[in-house]
Amino acid sequence: MQVTLDQLLSAIMSRMDSMEASLNDIRIKTNVLLRLLKENGTELTKDRILEVVKEELEVMSQAGMLDSEETDEISSSIAEGIHKWLEGDVADIREKIDNYRKEAKEAGSDSDNVIDVASPDFLNRLENVKGKSKKGDKGNLLF
């Protein structure tokens, strides 16, 4: 089966849009539920959040979903982020978003990450030079 680059990119972008919509849906539901817990009088201190995060990471580790043994550092980082979010530390959230955008922009402008795409005609000529017939062609990509 041969797929054009345009078809491949279109399929990937469609899948990414679907995943982004799902992620936004989950994020909104999680945010609403956590805010309801906070407003309902449930005490959500930094220590309680850290305890719950450690429990979750332990479950994930036992289930084989987490390979890292340094769960203390990961736990404190996650708990700190959740606590700042619940307290409404908008400045910290904005700073993290700005840093992420800056890193993404730098990664996108890196000219070393170039993908060269050969035209089908060039690939046919290359196959002819190699002396291979097109009968066994499976549409493989050349790297």
Side-chain angles (χ1 to χ4, degrees):
M1 177 175 108
Q2 289 186 345
V3 178
T4 66
L5 183 60
D6 189 35
Q7 290 171 328
L8 178 64
L9 290 175
S10 178
I12 290 172
M13 292 303 295
S14 173
R15 183 68 177 146
M16 284 181 59
D17 287 342
S18 172
M19 289 171 51
E20 185 177 8
S22 296
L23 180 63
N24 284 335
D25 183 50
I26 291 170
R27 183 181 300 127
I28 289 170
K29 288 177 182 176
T30 302
N31 291 348
V32 169
L33 290 173
L34 285 172
R35 291 194 188 279
L36 282 172
L37 282 174
K38 183 180 178 191
E39 290 177 4
N40 199 20
T42 305
E43 190 174 346
L44 294 174
T45 63
K46 194 181 243 184
D47 293 332
R48 179 66 182 130
I49 293 169
L50 180 61
E51 180 182 323
V52 172
V53 169
K54 284 183 178 180
E55 288 175 12
E56 179 64 22
L57 291 178
E58 181 63 29
V59 169
M60 290 175 67
S61 179
Q62 289 177 358
M65 298 168 55
L66 185 65
D67 295 331
S68 179
E69 296 295 326
E70 301 175 18
T71 56
D72 288 337
E73 186 177 318
I74 295 170
S75 299
S76 61
S77 175
I78 293 172
E80 182 72 24
I82 292 172
H83 185 261
K84 284 184 178 182
W85 175 81
L86 285 173
E87 294 301 314
D89 190 351
V90 177
D92 182 64
I93 294 170
R94 173 63 64 191
E95 180 183 340
K96 287 182 180 180
I97 290 172
D98 289 342
N99 286 339
Y100 173 77
R101 286 182 179 158
K102 181 182 173 186
E103 290 174 9
K105 187 176 181 180
E106 288 174 0
S109 66
D110 188 10
S111 62
D112 292 341
N113 297 330
V114 175
I115 298 175
D116 293 327
V117 179
S119 68
D121 182 53
F122 178 78
L123 292 176
N124 288 336
R125 287 185 291 158
L126 183 62
E127 292 295 326
N128 289 337
V129 169
K130 286 182 177 180
K132 294 183 178 179
S133 66
K134 288 187 71 173
K135 290 182 181 177
D137 187 14
K138 301 277 187 198
N140 295 335
L141 297 174
L142 300 175
F143 292 100

